[in-house]
Amino acid sequence: MKTVICGLWHVHAEGYYKTAAQYTDVIGVYEPNEAWRKAFCEKYGVKEFATFEELLASGADAAIVSTSTDTHTEVICRLAAAGMDIFTEKV
Protein backbone atom coordinates (compact mmCIF):
# COMPACT_ATOMS: atom_id res chain seq x y z
CA MET A 1 0.00 0.00 0.00
CA LYS A 2 1.34 3.42 -0.99
CA THR A 3 0.65 6.10 1.63
CA VAL A 4 1.20 9.86 1.76
CA ILE A 5 1.34 12.25 4.68
CA CYS A 6 -0.82 15.30 4.08
CA GLY A 7 0.33 18.10 6.36
CA LEU A 8 2.71 18.34 9.29
CA TRP A 9 0.65 20.74 11.41
CA HIS A 10 -0.29 18.26 14.16
CA VAL A 11 2.32 17.29 16.70
CA HIS A 12 1.38 13.67 15.96
CA ALA A 13 2.44 13.84 12.29
CA GLU A 14 5.90 12.45 12.99
CA GLY A 15 4.46 9.54 14.96
CA TYR A 16 1.93 8.84 12.21
CA TYR A 17 4.77 8.77 9.70
CA LYS A 18 6.87 6.37 11.79
CA THR A 19 3.96 3.98 12.28
CA ALA A 20 2.84 4.14 8.65
CA ALA A 21 6.41 3.51 7.45
CA GLN A 22 6.45 0.21 9.38
CA TYR A 23 3.39 -1.12 7.56
CA THR A 24 3.12 0.77 4.27
CA ASP A 25 5.28 2.38 1.62
CA VAL A 26 5.19 6.09 2.53
CA ILE A 27 5.85 7.66 -0.85
CA GLY A 28 5.83 11.34 0.09
CA VAL A 29 4.79 14.27 2.22
CA TYR A 30 2.80 17.39 1.38
CA GLU A 31 3.04 20.41 3.67
CA PRO A 32 2.43 23.99 2.49
CA ASN A 33 5.08 25.35 4.86
CA GLU A 34 8.20 24.79 2.79
CA ALA A 35 10.63 24.92 5.73
CA TRP A 36 8.67 22.29 7.71
CA ARG A 37 8.31 20.10 4.62
CA LYS A 38 11.97 20.27 3.65
CA ALA A 39 13.20 19.58 7.19
CA PHE A 40 10.88 16.59 7.59
CA CYS A 41 11.67 15.12 4.18
CA GLU A 42 15.41 15.52 4.68
CA LYS A 43 15.21 13.93 8.14
CA TYR A 44 13.34 10.87 6.88
CA GLY A 45 14.55 10.70 3.27
CA VAL A 46 11.03 10.87 1.88
CA LYS A 47 9.84 12.64 -1.28
CA GLU A 48 8.42 16.15 -1.06
CA PHE A 49 5.16 17.15 -2.70
CA ALA A 50 5.36 20.93 -3.12
CA THR A 51 1.65 21.18 -4.00
CA PHE A 52 -1.51 19.38 -3.00
CA GLU A 53 -2.05 18.58 -6.68
CA GLU A 54 1.28 16.68 -6.75
CA LEU A 55 0.08 14.61 -3.81
CA LEU A 56 -3.23 13.88 -5.57
CA ALA A 57 -1.36 12.77 -8.71
CA SER A 58 1.09 10.57 -6.76
CA GLY A 59 -0.80 7.31 -7.20
CA ALA A 60 -1.10 6.85 -3.43
CA ASP A 61 -3.66 4.42 -2.08
CA ALA A 62 -4.07 6.18 1.27
CA ALA A 63 -3.43 9.49 3.01
CA ILE A 64 -2.82 10.43 6.61
CA VAL A 65 -4.27 13.89 7.23
CA SER A 66 -2.28 16.04 9.65
CA THR A 67 -3.26 19.47 8.40
CA SER A 68 -4.77 22.11 10.67
CA THR A 69 -8.20 21.06 11.86
CA ASP A 70 -9.95 23.91 10.05
CA THR A 71 -8.78 22.47 6.69
CA HIS A 72 -9.79 18.84 7.30
CA THR A 73 -13.16 18.94 5.54
CA GLU A 74 -11.80 20.36 2.30
CA VAL A 75 -8.68 18.17 2.33
CA ILE A 76 -10.60 14.99 3.12
CA CYS A 77 -13.20 15.66 0.42
CA ARG A 78 -10.47 16.16 -2.18
CA LEU A 79 -8.61 13.01 -1.10
CA ALA A 80 -11.82 10.99 -1.15
CA ALA A 81 -12.67 12.29 -4.63
CA ALA A 82 -9.24 11.04 -5.73
CA GLY A 83 -10.16 7.58 -4.42
CA MET A 84 -7.77 7.46 -1.46
CA ASP A 85 -8.39 5.76 1.86
CA ILE A 86 -8.06 8.36 4.62
CA PHE A 87 -6.86 8.41 8.22
CA THR A 88 -7.62 11.54 10.25
CA GLU A 89 -8.23 12.36 13.89
CA LYS A 90 -11.24 14.59 13.40
CA VAL A 91 -13.25 16.44 10.81
Side-chain angles (χ1 to χ4, degrees):
M1 173 182 276
K2 295 185 286 184
T3 305
V4 291
I5 306 294
C6 184
L8 299 171
W9 189 83
H10 284 287
V11 67
H12 306 297
E14 190 166 10
Y16 294 152
Y17 168 79
K18 289 177 181 179
T19 300
Q22 291 178 35
Y23 302 101
T24 71
D25 179 16
V26 180
I27 62 169
V29 173
Y30 165 70
E31 164 53 51
N33 181 305
E34 184 178 8
W36 292 2
R37 183 181 70 245
K38 286 193 174 298
F40 188 93
C41 291
E42 286 176 14
K43 180 176 182 177
Y44 291 105
V46 67
K47 178 182 171 120
E48 292 182 52
F49 298 118
T51 67
F52 192 74
E53 289 69 26
E54 286 181 36
L55 178 145
L56 292 174
S58 69
D61 302 303
I64 298 171
V65 177
S66 294
T67 59
S68 62
T69 304
D70 63 318
T71 67
H72 281 192
T73 302
E74 178 185 351
V75 167
I76 290 167
C77 287
R78 291 182 70 191
L79 293 168
M84 291 187 201
D85 293 327
I86 301 160
F87 171 84
T88 188
E89 287 187 328
K90 53 190 158 279
V91 177

